[in-house]
Amino acid sequence: QIAAALATADIAPTARAEELTLPETVYNIGFAAFYNCDNLTEVVFHNGITEIAGLAFSGCGKLEKADLPSSVKTIGQDAFRGCDLIREVFIPASVSALGESGNDVFGKGVECITVDPANKKYVSIDGMLFTMKGKNIQYCPGGKKGAVKLAEKLTNINAVAFSGCEQITEITIPQSVNK
């Protein structure tokens, strides 16, 4: 892991770089490795990256595309915070940990989250992120618009699941929710 952290620091782009292709020698993207790389618009991950640490791409306000590789297992807290031009996120089957609570990873521009059906921890319902086979809502993307009707099987709503959802006009909560 130390070698991977050093390799990440060695390839950190300047604030002027627009596209970043991570070399195959990097497996973990370190804490705040690309923090505030203002002009970064796209990151190309190779299949082999297993961790994207907290704040890794935070503040990259022009980042529009960062397709997560099928090898990534952990995405740290605020890894893509402030990357408000990313509209869609696909969570691969390999992901088993997202931030502290699953809702503090992505920028507020995300409109839809899709989860690989083979993922054992997370599921996507109506573009929102759930755990426990849809019984616990973790995260509603900040860019979601209009009315939201939560499924009848829902039992738990994460305390900050709808934090930053300024464009939601109505939320219908089923009677099955007990927490």
Side-chain angles (χ1 to χ4, degrees):
Q1 287 184 353
I2 292 173
L6 291 174
T8 300
D10 291 342
I11 62 160
T14 66
R16 287 174 273 147
E18 292 180 9
E19 187 176 311
L20 170 68
T21 300
L22 294 165
E24 294 193 18
T25 55
V26 175
Y27 296 98
N28 299 313
I29 301 171
F31 180 80
F34 303 102
Y35 184 81
N36 278 343
C37 288
D38 299 68
N39 289 321
L40 192 61
T41 60
E42 181 177 358
V43 177
V44 179
F45 298 100
H46 64 83
N47 199 16
I49 299 280
T50 58
E51 178 184 5
I52 302 171
L55 297 173
F57 295 96
S58 183
C60 298
K62 293 183 182 176
L63 187 61
E64 297 174 6
K65 185 171 177 149
D67 294 334
L68 301 172
S70 60
S71 56
V72 71
K73 296 177 182 176
T74 303
I75 303 171
Q77 183 172 346
D78 298 329
F80 293 94
R81 181 167 294 253
C83 301
D84 297 337
L85 297 180
I86 295 176
R87 298 288 179 239
E88 295 181 6
V89 173
F90 177 76
I91 306 294
S94 56
V95 173
S96 59
L98 282 169
E100 301 251 333
S101 59
N103 71 329
D104 52 2
V105 175
F106 305 105
K108 62 183 174 184
V110 174
E111 297 170 357
C112 179
I113 291 182
T114 307
V115 177
D116 186 312
N119 188 297
K120 293 181 175 158
K121 182 170 183 180
Y122 299 103
V123 65
S124 175
I125 301 171
D126 294 329
M128 298 176 285
L129 184 68
F130 292 77
T131 59
M132 298 171 48
K133 298 181 180 175
K135 293 183 178 182
N136 180 30
I137 183 167
Q138 286 295 112
Y139 173 68
C140 178
K144 192 156 183 72
K145 300 172 183 153
V148 171
K149 183 176 181 182
L150 299 172
E152 286 299 323
K153 64 181 176 180
L154 185 71
T155 59
N156 184 47
I157 299 174
N158 181 321
V160 290
F162 292 94
S163 177
C165 294
E166 299 168 1
Q167 299 179 68
I168 290 180
T169 56
E170 178 182 353
I171 300 173
T172 303
I173 300 172
Q175 290 183 348
S176 56
V177 172
N178 57 33
K179 200 169 160 183

